[in-house]
Amino acid sequence: MEGNAKFVAGELPAPTAIAERRADTAGGQRPPAMILSCADSRVPTEHVFDQLIGDIFVCRIAGNIATPGTIGSFEFAIANFNSMLLIVMGHEKCGAVGSAIELRKAGTTAPGSIQSIVDAIAPALEATPKGSLEDDAYADEVARMNARLIAKKLQTDSAIVREAVEAKRLKVVPAFYALASGKVTLLS
């Protein structure tokens, strides 16, 4: 979170630090943290936390959903790098969430494999009451709920993640990224 505060303030690492880090990590990696983030180009995960090459193990996929591939990737990091933190980070104005909402309103489905992303977001739609929220606020609430539900899913669908959490070797935390400010908020 200290790194995120630097990012919000506009402080980025010097290019020389990046070059040095690239050389230092060429022989291997031991990232202490992992992040499941959306593939959205406006969410530059390493920059958001002011981290350099080798500092975090990142999987990016539309809607920051947990697929067998992303779950397996995190299991690999836990088993091989002893990563101790897994952040599931949703974000403001998520296109995947917005599409899931629009498709539900229209009563239609997405073409091709896009529907698998919509299906993975559906539990968050069902768990988020619309109430009096405007469309953008509702979409952001769904994105927050999705981060929370995916954090739980990682712990229920993966014995490796669950065992690491139970042994207190891993903490899984949902979070939400604000596009305009760059601020990450940890969710409960």
Side-chain angles (χ1 to χ4, degrees):
M1 296 311 293
E2 288 175 24
N4 181 242
K6 285 182 176 181
F7 176 74
V8 169
E11 300 170 14
L12 293 176
T16 54
I18 295 170
E20 288 170 13
R21 189 69 173 149
R22 187 176 53 238
D24 290 345
T25 59
Q29 62 176 321
R30 304 268 321 150
M34 306 170 285
I35 300 179
L36 174 55
S37 179
C38 186
D40 192 304
S41 65
R42 301 169 296 172
V43 185
T45 308
E46 286 85 354
H47 292 302
V48 166
F49 290 99
D50 187 37
Q51 298 298 298
L52 294 174
I53 297 165
D55 289 337
I56 54 176
F57 188 91
V58 179
C59 289
R60 294 179 65 168
I61 185 168
N64 48 277
I65 61 172
T67 66
T70 55
I71 293 170
S73 295
F74 292 127
E75 290 173 341
F76 181 83
I78 292 164
N80 290 283
F81 311 136
N82 298 315
S83 298
M84 302 171 289
L85 174 66
L86 171 52
I87 295 174
V88 178
M89 189 170 71
H91 69 91
E92 181 180 36
K93 296 182 175 103
C94 179
V97 168
S99 291
I101 292 168
E102 291 305 315
L103 288 166
R104 177 164 284 189
K105 279 184 192 175
T108 59
T109 59
S113 295
I114 299 170
Q115 186 60 40
S116 67
I117 297 166
V118 171
D119 292 343
I121 295 170
L125 287 170
E126 293 163 13
T128 307
K130 182 149 171 95
S132 62
L133 296 174
E134 296 297 321
D135 286 344
D136 286 344
Y138 175 66
D140 289 348
E141 283 304 311
V142 172
R144 286 181 187 90
M145 180 61 71
N146 188 53
R148 289 181 186 105
L149 294 177
I150 296 300
K152 288 180 185 175
K153 179 179 177 58
L154 286 164
Q155 295 174 75
T156 57
D157 288 7
S158 169
I160 293 171
V161 172
R162 184 174 51 257
E163 289 168 9
V165 168
E166 289 171 357
K168 300 192 183 320
R169 292 188 327 266
L170 176 69
K171 186 170 184 175
V172 181
V173 180
F176 186 77
Y177 174 70
L179 295 174
S181 70
K183 182 167 177 49
V184 174
T185 303
L186 300 180
L187 305 172
S188 54

